[in-house]
Amino acid sequence: MEHPGAGGTHRIGPYTLLGRQSTVGGSEVFAARTDDGLLVTVTVVGPGLAADPGFRDRFRTDVEAARTLSGPFLAPVLDADADAPVPWLATGFTAGLPLRRAVDRHGPLPGPALRVLADGLARALAVLHAAGRVHGGLGPDSVLLTMDGPRVTALGITGPTGGPAPSPTDDMFDLGSTVLYAASGGEPDTDALPGSLRDVIGGCLYPDPPDRPTAEQLVEYLRRQDLPAPAGCWLPPAVTADMAAATAALGSASAGAGGRGTGLRPPPVAAGAGVSRRKLLIGLAGGAAVLGGTAAALAFTGDPSPTPGGRAGGPGPTARPAPPPGVRSPASSASPSPTDGPEALVLTGPDAVKAWSRAGKRAPTCLEASDKVVMVVTDTATSFLDAATGTSTFPGLNTVNEYGTTSFKYPTAYADGVFYLLCDTPDQSGLLAAFDAASGKAKWATRMAEVESGGGKPTAMYRSTYVAVAGNTVYVCGTMSVLDGSYSSTSPTTGYIRAFSAATGKGLWRVKGTDINNVLVPPTGSRLLATSAVPARKPGRVQMIDAGRRGARGWKVSVPYGGFYFTTGWPLTCYAAGLFLFAGGDGDALFAVDAATGSEKWHQRFESRSGDQVRIGAPFAGLDGATVYVPVGSDLAALATADGTPRWVARLDGASETGGPNMFNASLRISGKSAQCSADTVFATDSAKTLWAIDAATGRARWRYSDPGQPDVGFLWTVGGDRVFVASHLTMTAIAAHAR
């Protein structure tokens, strides 16, 4: 980030300029700070535009109109001064990277990101056009890439008034040019567009304005394609890393400015609108946090040893405590050599043989399966298929989940002959429903209040993240937002756990708090594990939640570097054989603690043979609990649950979809089930959009499955019995674990 030069002012209107972000049509865009520490974005109108005779009147009119507009892809207008010697416009601050800078530095965006870009820009223009306004200057410099999608900036800052006024069809041409630039990285080439966008973006570029689609038509066109949303962060890791660096530089500039504000605090916005630095950190932790270890060979350097006090805080980088009596160290050398640990097996295997494949009328949004039945949920209905043949087994139901499985949500579960689903119906929303897997009939449905009221006004909003089952209890976990207009980027997320009777759906108890971020529900027992953390590398914490005592807090363990636990949603921890397992230390060690007491049983540290730093992904366990699997970049390590002894390491080869090293999706800490197990097989997806079936005993691949026709963002999948079920576009496919 550049700072204003010595010849420029460091303050304009009531704002202190912190750093220049971009240039839009001769006007400069700065990050700025109010006197009370709030961050804003200020566009300083260029001298040529300000000198235009009709500009100030038009600018004043456009600003007043823009103040009335709102939308998730529009930067909200907060303040402006058309009569100042140098006119300026202030909008809500959004942590992000200008599209031009992102493409110039990191190359074209991949297909899934291009669709998010096109959809976001079209939705922003639809809001403007519905209000009778146009942007007139949409382009790579006026589009900001953020963790929540693109943001259209520079509203009201259009070109000189000489010539015809811009029209909505001009905006659509600019949208097409912007998406094409993001796809080709420079010289326009429509062949660089993914097939799902080529026709409609080409239509935006038609020479005759009446032939171009409207913004609403473009939104509807993309919606009707029924393509699933990208898993994890929608932007490439290199772009999110650049965003993190820019945000860090901005934080330093703000601190050095000597203002009263000490944190990055955007102006209050309505719940669900805008983007915060918190969300930026969440996205970075969830989608791009494997540093250096993306394709590095690993050496095991674990010491199965407790930290002082019997708690798994994780030793520091140089602390090497002695192993406790009776537990064997998985690495005999205190200073391990690059040859420690088993040799990695490069995954290679035959293409999978399909058991069956069936086409449907709607694209599935989420899947769940038993060994006999597959529950398929779409945006219009829920149906059930025979797991052996793919034929329909029961009448469909009117329960839907429009958004389905995403990087932070997993709305289905199965246990003891019952399917569970977070869903809506035409008449009700926010339901938790249970379906008998033997008949497909609803056992019960409970409506969960999504909004908490106080004094007749909404005070909090609940968002359900996922559902899980243990014994006779169903748990719904998620986050809540307090609707009081306040916001602080340094405040941790408030999470909740709701418990329901598996037999009746009756609510049993609920707990909430900032110490509940993501929650692990083991398949058995009454002890849950909740993690919490705050940004900026402050210590995180894991703690036991005692379901037998209606959610009472139990033991607590500090995690010195727990920043990755700031990601909300699907758990980044696992349970096996009476142990909770989670990342600790510097993010490079797996800790195993007793679920009842929190005392450490062992820990295993991972190091790169190349000397790069590694950070483990979300661990997961086999069905029998004897083995825990740890993804680290391109490697998947199998460890004995009893003492952490390494059993095998499987390694991916080749490149990812975007050209970087191929990695296990689970290693990227992408929430959701990107790795699952059957009785003797480990299933895992990678960043080349391949599903692998790996022999749990040897680490060798049984088969691989990739679908050239699958959506750019990859397929949905789940495991039931000894089969894996894959949804790609409108097609459902089943593959046996031992298929050849």
Side-chain angles (χ1 to χ4, degrees):
M1 178 174 294
E2 301 175 359
H3 289 272
T9 179
H10 286 270
R11 190 172 178 86
I12 190 163
Y15 306 107
T16 299
L17 305 182
L18 300 177
R20 185 168 58 239
Q21 295 180 312
S22 63
T23 300
V24 181
S27 301
E28 291 188 298
V29 181
F30 295 89
R33 176 180 51 80
T34 66
D35 289 340
D36 62 359
L38 297 180
L39 285 178
V40 297
T41 298
V42 173
T43 302
V44 179
V45 176
L49 193 58
D52 185 272
F55 169 77
R56 291 178 186 264
D57 288 340
R58 178 169 50 82
F59 178 59
R60 188 179 296 106
T61 301
D62 287 345
V63 166
E64 289 305 313
R67 287 178 187 271
T68 67
L69 303 178
S70 64
F73 302 104
L74 288 172
V77 173
L78 305 177
D79 196 5
D81 191 345
D83 300 314
V86 179
W88 53 268
L89 170 73
T91 57
F93 175 79
T94 304
L97 202 66
L99 174 61
R100 185 181 299 280
R101 183 182 301 179
V103 173
D104 286 351
R105 290 183 178 180
H106 307 292
L109 298 181
L114 291 171
R115 280 206 310 278
V116 175
L117 176 67
D119 182 69
L121 298 184
R123 290 176 185 274
L125 291 182
V127 173
L128 288 173
H129 296 169
R133 315 304 302 178
V134 296
H135 189 282
L138 187 68
D141 295 308
S142 58
V143 172
L144 193 68
L145 304 182
T146 80
M147 297 306 298
D148 281 358
R151 294 293 184 274
V152 173
T153 65
L155 299 177
I157 310 293
T158 54
T161 54
S167 67
T169 55
D170 294 325
D171 277 348
M172 295 307 296
F173 185 90
D174 291 342
L175 183 153
S177 300
T178 301
V179 175
L180 186 59
Y181 170 83
S184 59
E187 188 69 25
D189 180 8
T190 55
D191 288 339
L193 292 164
S196 58
L197 286 178
R198 195 166 298 144
D199 289 343
V200 72
I201 295 302
C204 293
L205 300 174
Y206 282 153
D208 294 330
D211 293 336
R212 299 168 193 160
T214 66
E216 292 87 347
Q217 288 171 337
L218 176 51
V219 171
E220 180 64 13
Y221 177 89
L222 296 177
R223 187 188 71 81
R224 288 181 178 275
Q225 286 185 329
D226 278 329
L227 298 180
C233 178
W234 72 285
L235 292 169
V239 176
T240 57
D242 202 351
M243 292 166 62
T247 303
L250 178 59
S252 298
S254 179
R260 287 177 287 175
T262 57
L264 305 184
R265 297 190 293 125
V269 295
V275 66
S276 66
R277 185 166 182 263
R278 174 193 296 171
K279 289 185 179 179
L280 172 63
L281 295 173
I282 289 174
L284 293 178
V290 179
L291 305 178
T294 54
L298 296 178
F300 295 88
T301 64
D303 294 323
S305 51
T307 55
R311 290 292 185 252
T318 60
R320 312 289 293 181
V327 180
R328 180 170 58 88
S329 172
S332 58
S333 173
S335 300
S337 69
T339 59
D340 285 340
E343 288 295 326
L345 303 169
V346 176
L347 289 176
T348 181
D351 291 336
V353 176
K354 301 176 182 179
W356 54 260
S357 189
R358 298 281 186 271
K361 297 181 179 180
R362 307 290 294 182
T365 59
C366 47
L367 304 173
E368 194 65 46
S370 69
D371 59 341
K372 293 183 174 59
V373 179
V374 186
M375 181 175 70
V376 182
V377 185
T378 73
D379 61 346
T380 59
T382 296
S383 59
F384 300 91
L385 306 180
D386 185 284
T389 64
T391 57
S392 179
T393 57
F394 312 126
L397 303 174
N398 66 349
T399 51
V400 303
N401 191 302
E402 183 175 355
Y403 299 102
T405 300
T406 71
S407 58
F408 297 115
K409 293 185 177 182
Y410 204 90
T412 63
Y414 171 80
D416 299 325
V418 181
F419 289 109
Y420 300 91
L421 174 65
L422 297 172
C423 60
D424 301 322
T425 68
D427 301 321
Q428 298 186 77
S429 62
L431 295 176
L432 170 62
F435 308 108
D436 189 323
S439 66
K441 295 181 179 180
K443 294 185 59 178
W444 51 259
T446 298
R447 189 173 190 276
M448 300 178 296
E450 297 176 303
V451 178
E452 190 174 87
S453 299
K457 296 182 178 180
T459 59
M461 179 176 294
Y462 288 83
R463 296 178 177 86
S464 299
T465 306
Y466 70 96
V467 60
V469 188
N472 298 321
T473 306
V474 184
Y475 300 92
V476 175
C477 305
T479 60
M480 59 171 293
S481 300
V482 178
L483 307 179
D484 60 0
S486 63
Y487 176 82
S488 172
S489 63
T490 59
S491 297
T493 304
T494 298
Y496 71 82
I497 306 170
R498 294 180 177 181
F500 300 86
S501 167
T504 65
K506 179 182 177 181
L508 302 177
W509 52 264
R510 70 171 69 182
V511 292
K512 61 183 179 181
T514 57
D515 58 342
I516 297 174
N517 210 31
N518 55 60
V519 181
L520 173 68
V521 179
T524 60
S526 61
R527 299 181 181 94
L528 318 182
L529 187 68
T531 66
S532 63
V534 293
R537 291 177 172 256
K538 295 182 180 180
R541 182 171 66 188
V542 297
Q543 69 177 332
M544 187 263 283
I545 303 293
D546 193 338
R549 299 173 55 208
R550 301 178 62 85
R553 270 68 163 177
W555 52 260
K556 299 178 176 64
V557 170
S558 175
V559 182
Y561 179 47
F564 37 83
Y565 288 137
F566 194 61
T567 302
T568 58
W570 190 257
L572 306 180
T573 55
C574 78
Y575 172 89
L579 301 177
F580 285 127
L581 301 105
F582 52 88
D586 220 13
D588 60 353
L590 181 73
F591 285 85
V593 304
D594 186 277
T597 65
S599 60
E600 182 185 322
K601 295 301 183 180
W602 54 264
H603 73 263
Q604 180 64 272
R605 181 176 284 106
F606 296 80
E607 290 182 356
S608 167
R609 295 174 187 262
S610 64
D612 294 328
Q613 180 185 9
V614 297
R615 290 184 185 156
I616 69 175
F620 58 100
L623 297 186
D624 63 2
T627 307
V628 61
Y629 303 95
V630 187
V632 190
S634 298
D635 290 349
L636 179 65
L639 309 181
T641 302
D643 58 9
T645 302
R647 291 181 168 173
W648 51 255
V649 177
R651 175 166 298 156
L652 294 170
D653 197 10
S656 70
E657 179 193 12
T658 58
N662 192 13
M663 293 182 289
F664 286 102
N665 286 331
S667 74
L668 300 175
R669 300 195 184 92
I670 294 176
S671 302
K673 293 183 179 178
S674 48
Q676 302 177 56
C677 295
S678 67
D680 62 357
T681 307
V682 178
F683 301 97
T685 58
D686 65 21
S687 55
K689 296 191 300 188
T690 301
L691 172 65
W692 292 91
I694 304 170
D695 188 315
T698 66
R700 299 183 183 277
R702 299 190 193 276
W703 48 259
R704 54 178 292 169
Y705 174 77
S706 59
D707 177 7
Q710 71 177 271
D712 291 342
V713 296
F715 40 59
L716 293 171
W717 65 287
T718 192
V719 174
D722 63 352
R723 299 183 183 89
V724 61
F725 304 93
V726 179
S728 175
H729 286 305
L730 302 179
T731 302
M732 279 287 302
T733 298
I735 308 170
H738 293 259
R740 294 290 185 185

